[in-house]
């Protein structure tokens, strides 16, 4: 079946690192994604990783992919108050072309 | 347009009424998706169009929900005999089909439907 699971809340202090975790079920997914949703705004792609990669770094963001355990994580270094948002893990389900989303992790950054 | 446009941004209706929600995707994007997002949940897949045809409508919850994309651009999501449980934000997204393909979805800001 299609399922993406992630923890619902994370609270960190400004300047600390944030790590948001996700597990997925479709082992043949080609791409895995992190989308960000800020209050009152639509979802925007934050970063993605191709399934043949273990790690991808993009400025303050580090994505780690463990295909064996079907585990994806997003690390945000030096978290800022502007990073407060909901972060959605997503995968392209290879049964078709639909993208399946997790329930989202709400990140709270305390000043 | 520059982004995905959805109208109306807010719709309040009474139980049993008919509702149409419109999505205008990014020009040149051949793939169009509808999702539904309930409070505290992630986007739930409803239907996906490639061009004019519905390539995957497996997420439509029942036959009260229907979507069309007659000319391969604008799409309309139609909900008949609305129920209170249909209250949610309906998100539209589009995606470029060819070229450098990462599967990125571009989302509109959604249409918030409230059924009283």
């Amino acid at each position: 079946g299609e399922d993406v699971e992630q923890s619902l809340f994370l609270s960190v202090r400004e300047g600390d690192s944030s790590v948001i975790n996700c597990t997925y079920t479709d082992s043949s997914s080609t791409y895995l994604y992190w989308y960000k949703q800020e209050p009152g705004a639509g979802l925007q792609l934050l970063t993605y990783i191709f399934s043949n990669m273990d790690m991808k770094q993009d400025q303050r963001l580090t994505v780690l992919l463990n295909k064996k355990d079907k585990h994806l994580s997003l690390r945000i270094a030096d978290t800022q108050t502007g990073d407060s948002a909901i972060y959605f893990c997503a995968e392209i389900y290879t049964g078709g072309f639909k993208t399946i989303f997790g329930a989202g992790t709400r990140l709270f950054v305390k000043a | 347009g520059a982004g995905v446009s959805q109208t109306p941004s807010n719709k309040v209706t009474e139980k049993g009424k008919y509702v149409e929600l419109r999505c205008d995707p990014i020009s040149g994007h051949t793939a169009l998706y509808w999702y539904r997002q309930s409070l505290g949940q992630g986007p739930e897949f409803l239907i996906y169009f490639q061009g004019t045809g519905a390539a995957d409508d497996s997420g439509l919850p029942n036959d009260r929900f229907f979507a069309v994309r007659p000319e391969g651009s604008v799409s309309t999501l139609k909900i008949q005999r609305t129920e209170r449980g249909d209250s949610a934000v309906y998100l539209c997204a589009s995606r470029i089909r060819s070229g450098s393909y990462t599967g990125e979805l571009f989302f509109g800001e959604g249409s918030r439907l409230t059924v009283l």
Side-chain angles (χ1 to χ4, degrees), chain A residues 4-5 8 11 31 36 41 45 52 75 79 82:
Chain A
V4 177
E5 294 190 356
L8 296 183
S11 181
Y31 288 94
K36 180 181 181 182
L45 182 68
N52 69 353
R75 179 176 179 269
T79 313

Side-chain angles (χ1 to χ4, degrees), chain B residues 46-58:
Chain B
L46 295 178
I47 186 170
Y48 151 60
F49 287 90
Q50 181 56 45
T52 59
D56 185 341
D57 64 357
S58 62

Side-chain angles (χ1 to χ4, degrees), chain B residues 63-74:
Chain B
D63 61 6
R64 295 187 298 105
F65 288 75
F66 190 71
V68 295
R69 195 186 185 200
E71 297 177 0
S73 179
V74 171

Side-chain angles (χ1 to χ4, degrees), chain A residues 7-13 16-20 36-37 39 46 60 74 76 79-87 104-110:
Chain A
S7 53
L8 296 183
F9 297 99
L10 177 64
S11 181
V12 300
R13 289 184 180 165
D16 287 351
S17 291
S18 308
V19 179
I20 302 172
K36 180 181 181 182
Q37 186 176 38
L46 190 62
R60 291 190 297 122
L74 172 69
I76 305 172
T79 313
Q80 302 298 306
T81 54
D83 294 324
S84 293
I86 305 175
Y87 293 81
T105 299
R106 187 178 293 273
L107 175 63
F108 296 93
V109 183
K110 297 176 285 189

Side-chain angles (χ1 to χ4, degrees), chain B residues 33-46:
Chain B
Y33 295 75
W34 284 100
Y35 286 84
R36 178 169 69 176
Q37 187 175 21
S38 300
L39 192 64
Q41 300 295 314
E44 173 195 11
F45 172 81
L46 295 178

Side-chain angles (χ1 to χ4, degrees), chain B:
Chain B
V4 177
S5 175
Q6 292 188 246
T7 55
S9 54
N10 276 288
K11 176 72 177 177
V12 180
T13 191
E14 293 179 343
K15 181 174 175 298
K17 299 290 189 183
Y18 170 79
V19 165
E20 287 190 354
L21 307 175
R22 175 190 164 106
C23 173
D24 196 347
I26 293 172
S27 177
H29 282 194
T30 57
L32 184 147
Y33 295 75
W34 284 100
Y35 286 84
R36 178 169 69 176
Q37 187 175 21
S38 300
L39 192 64
Q41 300 295 314
E44 173 195 11
F45 172 81
L46 295 178
I47 186 170
Y48 151 60
F49 287 90
Q50 181 56 45
T52 59
D56 185 341
D57 64 357
S58 62
L60 294 177
N62 51 59
D63 61 6
R64 295 187 298 105
F65 288 75
F66 190 71
V68 295
R69 195 186 185 200
E71 297 177 0
S73 179
V74 171
S75 175
T76 305
L77 178 66
K78 308 181 181 198
I79 310 173
Q80 298 178 319
R81 304 184 303 281
T82 50
E83 299 177 357
R84 292 193 181 88
D86 299 335
S87 296
V89 177
Y90 289 82
L91 299 171
C92 178
S94 68
R95 192 193 74 204
I96 197 161
R97 183 67 178 95
S98 60
S100 176
Y101 176 67
T102 62
E104 178 180 0
L105 293 175
F106 294 83
F107 281 87
E109 293 190 3
S111 293
R112 181 179 298 276
L113 174 66
T114 303
V115 181
L116 301 176

